[in-house]
Amino acid sequence: MLSIKQIYENDIDLCYELDSNTIALWSKKQWAKEFKKKGIKVFGILLSNLVIGICVFHVVCDEAQINFFVVNHKYRKKGFGTYLMDNLIKECENLNLSRLILEVSHNNSIADKFYSRFDFCTVGIRRNYYKDGSDALLKEKKLTSK
């Protein structure tokens, strides 16, 4: 059974483990800091009670920024990321947000293509943004409120 649930700080080990086994973006300390920020929401996609993906987004005023979005490697290209993103977009629309933004490495063509399917458009570039010196594409999706 597939479901989405909100994840709270007491599940930090779960978040860190999935991150470590996929994109290795944050340390455990950074995960703890993220959960402490005001406006942070963390959702997981569960397949039979197993968390296979996580999305972290930060709501500020009338917009949200996706800070983290990943699906476990062995569950990719099966529609789970789409399911998680659709849920995130609906959640943002329910909050009457006007836009959703994110950054993605210009080297990550798979992620860039994925976000384009949801009408994210490149609105800027952050030069040498990542540790490896790659640029970040700043992407935006305009939202329609109910």
Side-chain angles (χ1 to χ4, degrees):
M1 188 170 116
L2 195 60
S3 62
I4 302 279
K5 80 165 194 166
Q6 189 158 0
I7 294 177
Y8 299 97
E9 191 173 1
N10 58 332
D11 288 320
I12 197 167
D13 289 335
L14 183 87
C15 296
Y16 176 68
E17 182 181 343
L18 183 60
D19 182 7
S20 296
N21 293 323
T22 53
I23 58 178
L25 186 63
W26 295 332
S27 67
K28 200 166 186 180
K29 192 174 183 179
Q30 287 171 303
W31 272 102
K33 249 176 119 171
E34 194 70 11
F35 272 104
K36 301 253 186 267
K37 290 180 186 173
K38 185 179 180 184
I40 286 291
K41 293 186 180 288
V42 182
F43 286 94
I45 182 169
L46 287 80
L47 182 61
S48 301
N49 293 325
L50 173 68
V51 176
I52 61 168
I54 294 174
C55 175
V56 178
F57 66 104
H58 190 183
V59 176
V60 180
C61 297
D62 72 335
E63 66 182 39
Q65 175 164 328
I66 299 172
N67 294 344
F68 185 88
F69 191 97
V70 75
V71 172
N72 182 308
H73 292 294
K74 68 184 199 187
Y75 296 99
R76 290 184 184 170
K77 298 190 184 235
K78 296 180 178 172
F80 298 118
T82 298
Y83 188 80
L84 185 58
M85 182 60 76
D86 283 342
N87 182 275
L88 168 62
I89 291 167
K90 284 179 192 147
E91 180 74 19
C92 290
E93 288 174 344
N94 288 340
L95 292 169
N96 291 316
L97 303 179
S98 64
R99 71 183 188 141
L100 189 53
I101 57 175
L102 61 86
E103 291 141 358
V104 63
S105 171
H106 79 278
N107 293 333
N108 192 343
S109 59
I110 292 170
D112 190 32
K113 187 175 174 183
F114 173 79
Y115 295 127
S116 294
R117 288 190 5 236
F118 296 93
D119 299 322
F120 280 89
C121 299
T122 300
V123 294
I125 296 175
R126 294 190 171 137
R127 302 273 177 219
N128 301 311
Y129 185 76
Y130 294 103
K131 290 177 200 170
D132 66 359
S134 63
D135 297 339
L137 301 176
L138 180 60
K139 303 192 81 66
E140 173 188 76
K141 175 181 176 53
K142 302 269 189 208
L143 300 171
T144 54
S145 300
K146 292 185 176 180

